[in-house]
Amino acid sequence: MDLKRQIFSRNILFFLFSIVTFIIFYMPLMSIVSSLFQITSYIIFIPLMSGYMIYTKRKEIFSGVHYSFVYGGAIITAGIVLYILGKFHIINLNQKDLSSLLTFSAFIFWFGGIVLFYGIESFKTMFLPLLILVFMMPFPIFLKDMVISLLQKGSVEVFHFYLMLTGIPYSRDGFTFQLSGVSIEVAKQCSGVTSATALFVAALLSGHLYISSGWRKIVVLLSVFPIAILKNGLRIAVLSVLGCYVDKTYLTDSLLHSRGGIPFFVIALALLFPVVWFLRKSERRQSKIESITV
C-alpha cells in the first residue's frame, strides 16, 4: 500500500512538472499539438503507441522507482541550455532548424523530469517508447534533406524499373521522364519522407511487440528503407500511368495525388508484415533449439 501511495505521489509531481514543461516550452510544443488534429497526419498515433508500450511495461517500470536528482537535474539543465541557445539566438539557425532545436530542448527537459521522479533504471526501460515520441518533432533541415535525397534517388530508380516492366515507351533525363508527351519530374516533394517516417515508427512498434533479439529488431528497422522506396516508386508509377493515359488531373488535382498515400502506406505495411513474421518465426525456432540443447 505504501508503494502505491509513493508511486501516486510521484505521478502527481511528474504531472505538475509536465504542466510546467508545457508552459515554459509553449510555442514549440503548440506546433506539435496543432499537427495532431490534421486529418492526414500520422503524428496522432505516436503518443498512442508510446503510451501503449509504456503501459505494457508498467510493472517493470514502477518496480524500482527512486528519485534521481543528479542525473535528472543534469538532463533538465541540458534542456534549459539548449532552449536558451535557440531562444536568444546565441547560435545562428534558420527558422526550421530553430523550431527543431526548441522542440528538442523541450523533450530533453521533459525526459529529465522522468529521470528525476522515476530514476535512471525506469528511464532505460521506457527508452524505446520515449524515443518514438521524438518522431513528433520537426527534424533539422540537413538531416531531413539527406533522408529526402536518398528516398528520391531510390524512388526514381524503382519508378524506372517499373516502367521497364510495363513496356511503356518513355525517355529519361535524370529525375525527369517523358511519357506519352507528358513530362514527369520526380521532385523532392515526391520522396515520401512523411510516409517513410510513419513506416519507421510502425517498424519500431512491431519490433517491440513481436521480436526480442536486438539484431532482429535492427533488421526490421533496416527493411523500412527498401520497402519505402518500393512503395513510393509504385505510387509514382501508378499516378504517372493514370495521368498520361487516363486523365492528366491524376498528376495534379486528384484525390489519389493529394491524399492517396494511405492505400500505398497499407501496401508498405503489407510488405513489412512478412519481414516481422519471418524474423519472429526464426527467433522462436532458435529458442526451441536452445531449450532442447540445454
Side-chain angles (χ1 to χ4, degrees), residues 127-167:
F127 180 73
L128 181 58
L130 294 175
L131 178 65
I132 289 178
L133 292 175
V134 175
F135 288 93
M136 299 173 69
M137 291 174 38
F139 288 101
I141 287 180
F142 80 92
L143 180 60
K144 190 173 182 178
D145 282 349
M146 180 177 68
V147 174
I148 287 175
S149 179
L150 289 172
L151 289 172
Q152 181 190 19
K153 291 175 181 177
S155 297
V156 88
E157 295 304 327
V158 171
F159 175 42
H160 188 189
F161 176 72
Y162 287 150
L163 288 177
M164 287 193 298
L165 286 180
T166 60

Side-chain angles (χ1 to χ4, degrees), residues 13-183:
L13 289 172
F14 179 67
F15 177 73
L16 294 174
F17 178 84
S18 298
I19 293 175
V20 171
T21 302
F22 188 80
I23 293 171
I24 295 173
F25 300 93
Y26 176 79
M27 289 304 294
L29 292 180
M30 271 306 296
S31 63
I32 292 179
V33 172
S34 62
S35 65
L36 293 175
F37 299 98
Q38 295 177 10
I39 296 176
T40 57
S41 177
Y42 68 90
I43 291 179
I44 191 171
F45 296 105
I46 292 180
L48 297 177
M49 288 181 185
S50 179
Y52 174 75
M53 292 168 72
I54 290 174
Y55 178 78
T56 58
K57 287 193 170 186
R58 64 192 183 282
K59 290 183 180 179
E60 186 179 350
I61 291 169
F62 294 115
S63 61
V65 294
H66 63 275
Y67 291 104
S68 181
F69 295 104
V70 175
Y71 290 112
I75 297 171
I76 289 171
T77 302
I80 293 172
V81 170
L82 288 173
Y83 183 74
I84 290 172
L85 289 174
K87 185 67 175 178
F88 297 98
H89 303 285
I90 297 174
I91 53 177
N92 268 335
L93 294 172
N94 59 58
Q95 191 58 42
K96 289 186 177 180
D97 282 345
L98 177 61
S99 175
S100 178
L101 176 63
L102 294 178
T103 309
F104 182 68
S105 67
F107 275 80
I108 294 297
F109 185 88
W110 189 66
F111 289 167
I114 295 175
V115 175
L116 174 64
F117 292 109
Y118 299 102
I120 194 69
E121 293 303 319
S122 293
F123 179 79
K124 288 178 181 178
T125 307
M126 289 187 281
F127 180 73
L128 181 58
L130 294 175
L131 178 65
I132 289 178
L133 292 175
V134 175
F135 288 93
M136 299 173 69
M137 291 174 38
F139 288 101
I141 287 180
F142 80 92
L143 180 60
K144 190 173 182 178
D145 282 349
M146 180 177 68
V147 174
I148 287 175
S149 179
L150 289 172
L151 289 172
Q152 181 190 19
K153 291 175 181 177
S155 297
V156 88
E157 295 304 327
V158 171
F159 175 42
H160 188 189
F161 176 72
Y162 287 150
L163 288 177
M164 287 193 298
L165 286 180
T166 60
I168 294 173
Y170 69 94
S171 62
R172 175 184 176 183
D173 181 15
F175 293 102
T176 304
F177 293 78
Q178 296 288 337
L179 281 80
S180 185
V182 178
S183 180

Side-chain angles (χ1 to χ4, degrees), residues 182 184 237-251:
V182 178
I184 298 170
V238 169
L239 287 172
S240 298
V241 171
L242 289 174
C244 292
Y245 296 99
V246 179
D247 190 336
K248 289 184 179 180
T249 58
Y250 277 105
L251 294 170

Side-chain angles (χ1 to χ4, degrees), residues 260-290:
I262 295 176
F264 291 100
F265 182 72
V266 172
I267 292 173
L269 289 177
L271 293 173
L272 180 66
F273 171 78
V275 176
V276 176
W277 177 84
F278 175 79
L279 290 171
R280 186 185 185 191
K281 188 175 181 180
S282 69
E283 187 175 63
R284 286 182 172 180
R285 189 185 300 115
Q286 182 181 355
S287 180
K288 286 180 180 179
I289 293 172
E290 290 175 353

